Amino acid sequence: MRSDRPSRRAGGIVPTVIALLATVMAGSLARADRVIMKNGLVYVCQGTPDKDNSLVYIWDGLKRVVVRDSKIERMVPGNEYRTGEHFQLIQPIVVHAGAMPKEVLSVQAGPWDERGRRAFRYLGSRLNRPISMEQAIIEIDPHIVRYRGIDGFWVGVVDTDQIPHSVIMSLIGRVDQQNGEERERVVRFLMDAAWYPEARAELDRLMADFPRSDLSERAAGAKTFIIQAEATRRRSEVDLRRRAQQPHEVARLLKTFQDKDINTEIQLEVRELERHDQQQQAADRAMAVDLRRLAARLAPAVRGPWPKPMAEVLKALAEAPDAVRDRLTAWQKVKDDPRVTDEQRFALAMSGFLVGHDMAVSDLKEAEGLWQARDAAHGYLVGADPSERSAQAARLESVDWPAVPGTPDPVHRLELLTRMVQLMPPPNHDPEQPAQKTTRHRVLEDENSVPTEYAVWLPPEYHPLRSYPALVVLHSGPGPSAAIDEWSAEAARHGYILVAPEYNLPGQTHDYRYTTSEHAAVELALRDARKRYAIDSDRVFVAGQLTGGNMAWDYALAHPDLFAGVVVFSGLPAKYVPRYSSHHERVPLYCVLGELAPAAGEVIYNNLVKPMILKAWDITYIEYQRRGLETFPEEVPRAFDWMDRHHRDPAPRSFKVVSARPSDNRFYGVVVNEFSAGRTTAPEAVDVFGKNLNPAEITMGSSHLSNLIKLDVRGVRSLDLWMSPKLIDFKRRPEIRINRRSYPPGRRLTIKLDLESLLDDVRVRGDRQQIYWHRITINFR
């Protein structure tokens, strides 16, 4: 299903290669429909998808994916599902008959051994003890492995890729090594499974053992297919790694297309990419040289404050030119203009680095003032003492800020400060932090609180001037490091920062209790990580498996303004989740369950998920055949592909939310200070489906044309309204209406802007994409 990495089910191999495979070492084809979604995801269905009014069911032999028809771009007939080569295995079955359990609460499966067997243990909802058995693989095809219980009844299927390659190779290697046709079957299987290194090695052995002319011709065609298929896969990997901001890995991959049998079109494309990248690198180096020369031409009297800023800019150009070159566009446009002086050029370069090319200034004194403001803003954000922060705020106010005709000075200063904060490195950046190494942090909110601990993992080629998506991974018992281990391989490929909080209090058993303490642990960890690392807050997701999935589902809906989406593997929607489900209108969901999971069909799908899909919300539901509550590692790559296509809206023009827990108090700038009596309920008192909740309700609407914000509130005694420049034009007087009445009552709203409000909010939350300029406190008494 990953369109960025070709696979046998993604339809990623180019048509010419597909045709080649069909004729090379003859395999039969089966019809499949490729379902191409509007967001770019691609699903492959065995045959044609089933349809129930507006619902579409896509079945691939392992699982069904349920989508709304309006989310589909088109369906294309294909032949990705080949009948391929099947290998039947004879295993000693002791128990031949029985019935699959109706529900499976937990699964413990050991590794597959070279005989294709493993230890398996499960607990069913109607059992008072676990059932143990040995399972054995009984059939292998390029897409699906079938297995059975040997000494207990179980019939299951699993993706062939989920069986270690060494195990599969051991099993299919049992064919008669003296039989050339059987050896050809093995090669065809490996090609159809897209296991190209193994296919190439097996093909070489086949040709060495059977040097017949009739086989040589077929083998030569097969080898050409393998080479081209591998090249196509690497070509897609180049694009993925480029999006993941890994230029060194891109350069390494581009040097791997040397084989003469690689498709000419791909070779030409790769050479063009290499040429473009080399030209860009040369241009970046030339830009740095030009900037040094420009600085050297400045009069000695004006050079004084610039050595340190110059060093910072040159270091950025050397280490992460892709992240900063666009900031210098204003200077580059006038680099050779004789009407522009050297001082003006230098001012455009140095100010553009701080605030972007579109806000760059050509006055050197104003550019110097911007650097002073950036230093003061940084000092405020890292200041631990209130008096220190007050001093930095005063310093900010004293800066000689640039002015723009027609824009009030306070507004323009806030525009510049907003851009400055968004483009600076993370305030608490540690230059010694290595990439791809798990690091633990402790966050102490105040002297009387229990410290919050979390682990963080950085992707390859991480740099603080770049901006990265992040995934908050919630463990299911083993701890934060185990959660990172589950997700880090694909996080590396896609360029994600992983944040793994420890949400259990010291001494607690591993479980999720729906408490404010657990929520605080995650929020404090995310806030601290945003201050330390270059996290794009509009691309933050939360994910969990099993118990961690329970929390991920609950936490995402309780704090919808934090996330671009939530990934839930075997998570159950209990307590607050059913009552908060309307928040999924703004929080996309990727939900994976086994059909044997408790209440999977009737309660979770029919009562909760299906109605949301019918509303055309961004919901992806995946249900695996004959699987229970499991971790589903095969879905991790597909979840990243799904996340890559989502962004948070940091300031929606309208929303409606509910809240029934004290910690669930912030919604896109509306912050509840106090709930009305009876509107919040402690987790231990909440019904499993949340039917006894009486949540507060908040509805917000805004109009840019009228410069208006409307709030309808029920069940709240006091709240703060943080006002975003994305919703309000601060050059005009805004209007606020609370419960259909103007606020404040009887007089017009007056707003006095200051720089400290913006900085203090960023200092506390660390969110540099969701920016607010002003706060109003509203009491309902």
Side-chain angles (χ1 to χ4, degrees):
M1 291 194 298
R2 289 166 289 169
S3 61
D4 56 12
R5 187 168 74 173
S7 73
R8 57 189 182 277
R9 283 184 285 283
I13 305 301
V14 292
T16 55
V17 178
I18 287 289
L20 179 63
L21 178 60
T23 58
V24 167
M25 301 186 84
S28 57
L29 302 180
R31 176 183 169 82
D33 275 1
R34 298 175 71 234
V35 182
I36 302 171
M37 308 299 291
K38 290 180 179 178
N39 63 9
L41 289 171
V42 178
Y43 301 103
V44 178
C45 181
Q46 283 191 355
T48 300
D50 293 329
K51 192 167 182 182
D52 178 11
N53 294 320
S54 58
L55 293 177
V56 178
Y57 300 92
I58 305 166
W59 169 251
D60 69 357
L62 293 166
K63 61 187 180 296
R64 67 167 183 167
V65 181
V66 186
V67 298
R68 175 72 187 265
D69 56 1
S70 60
K71 301 289 185 181
I72 296 174
E73 179 71 30
R74 65 186 185 278
M75 286 189 274
V76 181
N79 55 19
E80 282 85 350
Y81 275 97
R82 308 171 195 291
T83 56
E85 295 292 348
H86 293 249
F87 292 87
Q88 302 283 345
L89 303 179
I90 299 175
Q91 299 280 8
I93 305 298
V94 176
V95 176
H96 291 271
M100 291 289 291
K102 299 297 184 183
E103 292 182 343
V104 175
L105 299 179
S106 67
V107 167
Q108 292 179 336
W112 295 100
D113 64 23
E114 71 280 357
R115 300 175 302 164
R117 301 179 192 175
R118 71 176 181 181
F120 182 80
R121 183 179 180 183
Y122 77 92
L123 178 65
S125 61
R126 300 179 183 180
L127 301 173
N128 55 13
R129 61 180 179 84
I131 300 296
S132 297
M133 69 179 72
E134 186 178 18
Q135 294 178 334
I137 294 172
I138 59 174
E139 183 179 346
I140 304 171
D141 76 29
H143 312 298
I144 295 173
V145 166
R146 293 173 174 83
Y147 58 91
R148 282 201 58 169
I150 291 179
D151 51 355
F153 187 80
W154 190 284
V155 179
V157 291
V158 68
D159 190 320
T160 304
D161 276 338
Q162 292 304 300
I163 309 296
H165 287 206
S166 61
V167 172
I168 296 292
M169 294 302 296
S170 173
L171 296 175
I172 64 177
R174 296 177 182 178
V175 301
D176 183 357
Q177 297 298 300
Q178 305 306 314
N179 187 325
E181 292 183 0
E182 285 295 293
R183 295 278 297 277
E184 282 191 65
R185 288 184 64 221
V186 171
V187 175
R188 287 198 294 268
F189 169 88
L190 294 171
M191 292 166 61
D192 206 16
W195 291 12
Y196 301 126
E198 292 88 348
R200 184 187 286 216
E202 188 64 26
L203 185 63
D204 289 341
R205 286 192 292 270
L206 176 65
M207 294 173 68
D209 292 346
F210 298 89
R212 305 194 314 264
S213 59
D214 61 325
L215 175 62
S216 296
E217 184 177 348
R218 295 198 303 277
K223 190 169 186 178
T224 299
F225 163 77
I226 293 170
I227 291 170
Q228 294 199 28
E230 286 183 310
T232 302
R233 175 177 286 176
R234 290 199 306 278
R235 176 64 188 87
S236 292
E237 190 74 6
V238 167
D239 290 341
L240 179 63
R241 296 295 182 141
R242 196 181 295 279
R243 292 193 298 271
Q245 303 176 101
Q246 298 169 15
H248 295 302
E249 178 63 11
V250 168
R252 186 195 69 78
L253 286 169
L254 289 175
K255 296 184 184 303
T256 64
F257 294 83
Q258 306 301 322
D259 197 302
K260 61 181 177 59
D261 288 328
I262 293 177
N263 182 282
T264 302
E265 182 181 349
I266 290 181
Q267 288 188 340
L268 291 174
E269 189 176 347
V270 165
R271 289 174 192 150
E272 177 61 23
L273 289 172
E274 283 190 296
R275 185 189 65 80
H276 177 272
D277 288 350
Q278 291 166 0
Q279 288 180 340
Q280 185 62 70
Q281 292 166 12
D284 292 335
R285 291 192 294 268
M287 186 185 301
V289 170
D290 288 343
L291 188 58
R292 286 191 186 94
R293 291 173 177 168
L294 178 60
R297 295 199 300 268
L298 293 178
V302 299
R303 293 180 189 172
W306 294 111
K308 185 177 178 181
M310 266 290 292
E312 181 178 335
V313 175
L314 293 173
K315 185 173 185 289
L317 280 172
E319 295 178 353
D322 52 301
V324 297
R325 68 170 69 99
D326 287 347
R327 305 187 198 181
L328 305 176
T329 302
W331 159 50
Q332 289 291 287
K333 285 182 178 179
V334 300
K335 184 166 64 76
D336 300 317
D337 191 335
R339 297 168 297 178
V340 182
T341 67
D342 284 342
E343 285 191 13
Q344 290 173 324
R345 294 190 186 99
F346 190 74
L348 287 170
M350 302 307 288
S351 62
F353 181 82
L354 292 186
V355 296
H357 67 88
D358 56 330
M359 300 188 79
V361 297
S362 59
D363 183 278
L364 201 55
K365 275 294 182 185
E366 290 182 348
E368 181 183 348
L370 290 177
W371 278 86
Q372 293 171 353
R374 201 283 300 265
D375 290 345
H378 179 267
Y380 188 100
L381 294 176
V382 300
D385 186 82
S387 61
E388 180 184 352
R389 295 197 295 271
S390 294
Q392 297 292 353
R395 182 183 168 200
L396 264 177
E397 295 292 347
S398 67
V399 166
D400 186 14
W401 292 84
V404 172
T407 301
D409 287 345
V411 172
H412 189 56
R413 291 177 184 181
L414 281 165
E415 290 173 340
L416 290 167
L417 183 59
T418 297
R419 188 68 65 84
M420 214 176 277
V421 164
Q422 291 173 334
L423 293 181
M424 69 168 59
N428 296 337
H429 164 64
D430 178 4
E432 303 301 320
Q433 169 69 48
Q436 286 191 280
K437 180 180 179 182
T438 300
T439 303
R440 297 186 77 95
H441 297 288
R442 287 169 61 90
V443 185
L444 191 63
E445 186 180 18
D446 58 58
E447 294 181 358
N448 298 317
S449 66
V450 177
T452 292
E453 292 191 359
Y454 72 96
V456 70
W457 183 93
L458 301 179
E461 303 186 47
Y462 169 83
H463 194 280
L465 285 174
R466 296 186 176 115
S467 184
Y468 296 87
L471 177 62
V472 178
V473 286
L474 302 176
H475 69 83
S476 57
S481 295
I484 284 179
D485 290 342
E486 291 275 358
W487 298 85
S488 59
E490 286 301 315
R493 294 183 62 242
H494 290 258
Y496 278 64
I497 295 172
L498 297 181
V499 179
E502 177 51 84
Y503 57 87
N504 289 132
L505 290 171
Q508 279 187 339
T509 57
H510 295 305
D511 200 359
Y512 176 55
R513 299 168 175 81
Y514 296 84
T515 65
T516 58
S517 171
E518 292 163 314
H519 282 221
V522 177
E523 186 158 8
L524 288 172
L526 179 56
R527 287 183 175 188
D528 189 71
R530 288 190 300 212
K531 298 170 195 176
R532 294 177 185 268
Y533 303 104
I535 291 175
D536 178 355
S537 296
D538 288 340
R539 293 186 294 159
V540 176
F541 302 83
V542 60
Q545 299 155 303
L546 301 171
T547 304
N550 297 350
M551 184 177 187
W553 207 334
D554 178 53
Y555 191 83
L557 292 185
H559 309 275
D561 71 331
L562 290 180
F563 300 111
V566 54
V567 176
V568 179
F569 293 175
S570 293
L572 302 179
K575 292 188 178 284
Y576 301 92
V577 173
R579 293 302 300 271
Y580 287 7
S581 62
S582 61
H583 298 179
H584 273 307
E585 185 175 9
R586 295 206 162 272
V587 183
L589 170 66
Y590 190 91
C591 179
V592 182
L593 275 177
E595 68 170 349
L596 303 180
E602 184 61 33
V603 176
I604 298 176
Y605 174 68
N606 286 335
N607 292 347
L608 183 65
V609 176
K610 181 179 177 180
M612 296 191 295
I613 297 176
L614 289 171
K615 292 177 182 177
W617 293 355
D618 194 340
I619 307 294
T620 299
Y621 179 76
I622 299 169
E623 187 177 276
Y624 273 79
Q625 181 188 33
R626 298 173 185 173
R627 302 279 288 274
L629 286 178
E630 305 179 34
T631 59
F632 297 104
E634 59 266 52
E635 281 295 325
V636 170
R638 296 157 187 156
F640 274 98
D641 192 17
W642 178 85
M643 288 186 286
D644 281 346
R645 303 164 197 277
H646 289 84
H647 287 73
R648 173 190 71 169
D649 181 354
R653 293 213 160 270
S654 63
F655 62 82
K656 182 175 182 179
V657 294
V658 297
S659 179
R661 185 170 31 194
S663 59
D664 310 344
N665 63 343
R666 186 177 191 105
F667 307 98
Y668 306 101
V670 177
V671 183
V672 178
N673 299 321
E674 184 181 358
F675 289 93
S676 300
R679 292 292 189 161
T680 60
T681 307
E684 60 272 17
V686 180
D687 175 82
V688 66
F689 297 119
K691 294 180 179 179
N692 62 332
L693 295 175
N694 181 29
E697 301 176 3
I698 301 171
T699 304
M700 191 279 285
S702 65
S703 168
H704 186 74
L705 183 64
S706 304
N707 217 28
L708 169 68
I709 291 179
K710 299 183 295 182
L711 278 179
D712 287 316
V713 181
R714 301 290 182 272
V716 172
R717 299 191 67 184
S718 174
L719 62 79
D720 288 340
L721 173 61
W722 288 83
M723 302 173 69
S724 166
K726 291 182 178 291
L727 298 183
I728 288 294
D729 181 1
F730 285 92
K731 299 172 188 176
R732 301 183 288 149
R733 185 189 297 273
E735 181 182 357
I736 309 294
R737 291 182 192 164
I738 308 295
N739 292 337
R740 302 184 181 182
R741 296 183 179 181
S742 295
Y743 181 89
R747 57 189 178 88
R748 301 183 68 182
L749 178 66
T750 301
I751 291 178
K752 183 179 180 181
L753 296 175
D754 64 86
L755 303 176
E756 191 168 4
S757 294
L758 182 159
L759 286 177
D760 205 52
D761 182 54
V762 173
R763 179 188 67 83
V764 171
R765 295 190 301 118
D767 190 333
R768 294 188 285 157
Q769 279 69 50
Q770 192 182 62
I771 294 290
Y772 298 105
W773 284 5
H774 189 68
R775 179 182 65 178
I776 298 172
T777 298
I778 301 168
N779 296 311
F780 304 88
R781 298 184 188 276

